[in-house]
Amino acid sequence: MNAAVWNSVRDELRTSLGKDAFKNWIDPLVFDHCDDGVVHLSAPTNFIGNWVARHYGETIRVMLDKADGPVSRLTFGVGRPAAKVTLSEATAAPVEETTELPGSPLDNRFRFESFVVGKPNELAHAAAKRVAEGGEVAFNPLFLYGGVGLGKTHLMHAIAWDLKERNPSAKVLYLSAEQFMYRFVQALRFKDMHGFKELFRSVDVLMVDDVQFIAGKNSTQDEFFHTFNALVDQNKQIVISADRAPGEIDGLEERIKSRLHWGLVVDLHPTDYELRLGILQAKVEHQKRINPGIQIDDGVVEFLAHRISSNVRVLEGALTRLFAFASLVGKSIDLDTTTECLADILRASERKVTIEEIIRKVADHYNLRMTDILSPRRARSVARPRQVAMFLSKSLTSKSLPEIGRKFGGRDHTTVIHAVRKVEELRQTDSQINEDVELLRRMLEA
Ligand code: ADP
Ligand code: MG
């Protein structure tokens, strides 16, 4: 085991971890020596060493072991100044070496044009569009949150692209919270807090993705808060995303939470059937333009929209595989082929919520007993919650209307249809019902 082996594993890691993570965590490591199956690497800071050990340690060990084993353990020393480190210490502050802002790269596909708007994301989309217009800051910060794969990063990149197109000289800095922390740690390490502060305070628009990541990391949070305040005070736009609402991020300081609430907080709801259908159709259209040979039977897209969970990334993954398959077999993809080709994905996204759970949660929420919901009672105080439970059963499980009817004390499927329509209607006019439904949905999907 020697530095050459380490270099080849590094190259593999670059591909498997992606450019960003690689640059942050692997690139700063230097091979030190190996004895008796223990590989000693050195890291510029303890923090980086610990981080890599915790997150990638086992992966790296296995790769080294395969490349030139046996490797039983890794250690991360600090300090042994590697050539690279000395070099950047000797040069000017790293941020001044480049005129490009040191953000995370923007994905070329994440544009407003390719973002399909539906009920679950229309508010987030509208807010993002508004920010992308630039000019007078409308709401600061814009805080976008929602579950994984619902389009937060897509919207942020779209804002950045749009702003840059409208005003090429605007300093738009987009980066993941992980990158923010990495920059901060580097600045501490290279004693360049001044450069760090200058950089972040000089941008026109700052976008930080996945801020839940810095929760509990106190000094990073602190710095983030100062940057944040400085920019807001200068009337610079800030856009932030997280996987949950500010109030629900454990370990995020109260003062940050409350500051976040000064702006506009909007959530991306889990996708519904219509939105999934829209997204799938757009992707199929797009694919057909690139590859006109691809054929997909009617019904396949509907089937996927119905069966695959709300995470758009999973949806895309399924479609990518189908396209690959279609171009390989050279014939039209029908439902049978789809089920076979995507068996694992379909199994994994089988909805786990049961009708019993729905009934229990709804009963709890309205202070009823489960037997009330199942009973024939028609008093509104019981009938309304029952309808809500039926509605949720339809939208959160893949059970058919007759099956749902049976679970609700042996009711007819027409009763279920009626309930579903009624709740859909009420949600437009009665904000209380709408809130109840959203709250329950979120609890059930959690
Ligand atoms: P998040 O950051 O919320 O986890 P992403 O923005 O990375 O999610 O989205 C995951 C994938 O789904 C991306 O490829 C994105 O382009 C796609 N996607 C999400 N929402 C939409 C949408 N409304 N229209 C088109 N593509 C979408
Ligand atoms: Mg994201």
Side-chain angles (χ1 to χ4, degrees):
M1 166 71 49
N2 52 30
V5 176
W6 166 245
N7 283 339
S8 74
V9 165
R10 270 173 48 111
D11 289 343
E12 276 177 58
L13 285 164
R14 194 197 316 267
T15 333
S16 63
L17 300 180
K19 233 173 37 203
D20 251 15
F22 178 83
K23 200 162 106 235
N24 288 352
W25 308 115
I26 308 300
D27 200 35
L29 304 177
V30 176
F31 178 83
D32 194 329
H33 67 285
C34 168
D35 69 289
D36 224 16
V38 181
V39 170
H40 302 269
L41 298 168
S42 71
T45 62
N46 246 327
F47 177 82
I48 292 184
N50 288 339
W51 175 272
V52 176
R54 203 149 25 100
H55 290 84
Y56 307 122
E58 185 53 17
T59 314
I60 298 177
R61 188 197 63 77
V62 171
M63 287 166 86
L64 288 168
D65 188 67
K66 266 208 216 126
D68 188 17
V71 171
S72 59
R73 206 152 59 80
L74 304 180
T75 72
F76 293 87
V78 178
R80 262 185 65 112
K84 195 184 309 141
V85 176
T86 332
L87 189 77
S88 21
E89 259 173 346
T91 57
V95 294
E96 287 164 21
E97 289 171 7
T98 155
T99 50
E100 257 302 279
L101 287 174
S104 306
L106 295 177
D107 192 314
N108 206 17
R109 298 163 308 164
F110 293 177
R111 307 281 188 143
F112 279 119
E113 299 85 77
S114 58
F115 192 83
V116 180
V117 185
K119 238 186 165 4
N121 61 23
E122 64 181 346
L123 214 61
H125 173 261
K129 272 290 221 193
R130 173 64 195 83
V131 170
E133 280 170 16
E136 182 86 349
V137 176
F139 15 77
N140 215 7
L142 169 61
F143 187 97
L144 297 170
Y145 75 92
V148 61
L150 298 183
K152 301 181 294 295
T153 299
H154 189 134
L155 280 179
M156 291 180 97
H157 287 206
I159 295 174
W161 284 121
D162 240 40
L163 283 168
K164 286 177 181 216
E165 260 158 38
R166 257 176 247 265
N167 180 4
S169 65
K171 291 175 105 181
V172 180
L173 180 55
Y174 164 87
L175 78 179
S176 62
E178 188 183 4
Q179 269 271 353
F180 181 87
M181 181 173 76
Y182 173 72
R183 300 250 151 230
F184 174 63
V185 170
Q186 287 291 85
L188 286 177
R189 157 88 183 133
F190 295 119
K191 304 201 172 46
D192 185 33
M193 278 315 291
H194 181 70
F196 178 89
K197 284 182 196 293
E198 290 263 282
L199 168 73
F200 281 95
R201 283 158 179 65
S202 71
V203 302
D204 298 316
V205 181
L206 175 66
M207 304 205 259
V208 183
D209 205 350
D210 289 321
V211 287
Q212 74 277 355
F213 182 85
I214 59 168
K217 305 191 169 94
N218 293 335
S219 44
T220 305
Q221 266 198 52
D222 223 45
E223 189 50 41
F224 175 69
F225 186 66
H226 293 312
T227 307
F228 185 98
N229 282 337
L231 288 172
V232 172
D233 289 346
Q234 295 174 56
N235 233 351
K236 301 292 178 61
Q237 180 75 54
I238 297 178
V239 185
I240 287 167
S241 84
D243 66 353
R244 50 215 114 134
E248 289 163 16
I249 307 180
D250 287 338
L252 195 66
E253 287 175 41
E254 284 309 320
R255 52 181 189 155
I256 301 191
K257 286 184 191 172
S258 64
R259 189 101 213 214
L260 290 174
H261 274 294
W262 288 12
L264 179 66
V265 177
V266 266
D267 57 342
L268 289 126
H269 295 265
T271 60
D272 56 15
Y273 174 77
E274 288 78 14
L275 178 57
R276 287 196 291 275
L277 195 61
I279 291 173
L280 286 166
Q281 281 164 345
K283 307 234 177 249
V284 169
E285 288 303 310
H286 178 74
Q287 189 62 30
K288 279 188 174 158
R289 277 197 297 276
I290 304 172
N291 187 347
I294 287 206
Q295 280 176 42
I296 293 199
D297 278 9
D298 291 346
V300 167
V301 167
E302 285 80 358
F303 170 77
L304 292 179
H306 182 62
R307 287 290 301 277
I308 295 187
S309 76
S310 64
N311 181 334
V312 183
R313 199 170 295 140
V314 176
L315 210 57
E316 286 182 337
L319 212 50
T320 307
R321 194 193 295 176
L322 263 196
F323 291 148
F325 193 74
S327 67
L328 273 180
V329 297
K331 61 173 193 201
S332 182
I333 294 289
D334 60 14
L335 265 181
D336 282 347
T337 329
T338 305
T339 343
E340 209 178 296
C341 176
L342 302 177
D344 54 334
I345 298 179
L346 292 169
R347 221 177 303 120
S349 61
E350 210 128 86
R351 294 237 164 77
K352 288 172 201 85
V353 184
T354 65
I355 294 182
E356 286 73 16
E357 272 170 66
I358 295 175
I359 296 177
R360 183 169 335 111
K361 277 267 169 19
V362 171
D364 273 2
H365 181 78
Y366 289 103
N367 271 324
L368 298 170
R369 286 167 304 170
M370 284 179 75
T371 47
D372 293 328
I373 304 265
L374 303 181
S375 76
R377 287 179 55 197
R378 289 182 176 199
R380 175 168 292 182
S381 60
V382 180
R384 204 57 101 218
R386 184 184 297 129
Q387 288 174 329
V388 166
M390 286 182 175
F391 171 84
L392 288 167
S393 302
K394 183 73 197 100
S395 49
L396 300 182
T397 74
S398 48
K399 296 280 183 281
S400 67
L401 295 168
E403 278 174 300
I404 295 174
R406 272 198 296 282
K407 296 266 190 184
F408 279 80
R411 289 178 154 80
D412 193 70
H413 77 279
T414 53
T415 310
V416 183
I417 297 181
H418 175 72
V420 171
R421 293 213 179 115
K422 186 76 201 168
V423 174
E424 272 166 1
E425 207 180 285
L426 285 170
R427 289 179 69 191
Q428 310 296 324
T429 54
D430 183 334
S431 62
Q432 185 57 51
I433 292 263
N434 193 30
E435 267 171 41
D436 288 351
V437 169
E438 280 312 316
L439 182 77
L440 284 161
R441 181 209 296 276
R442 219 167 280 160
M443 288 195 309
L444 286 160
E445 282 184 335

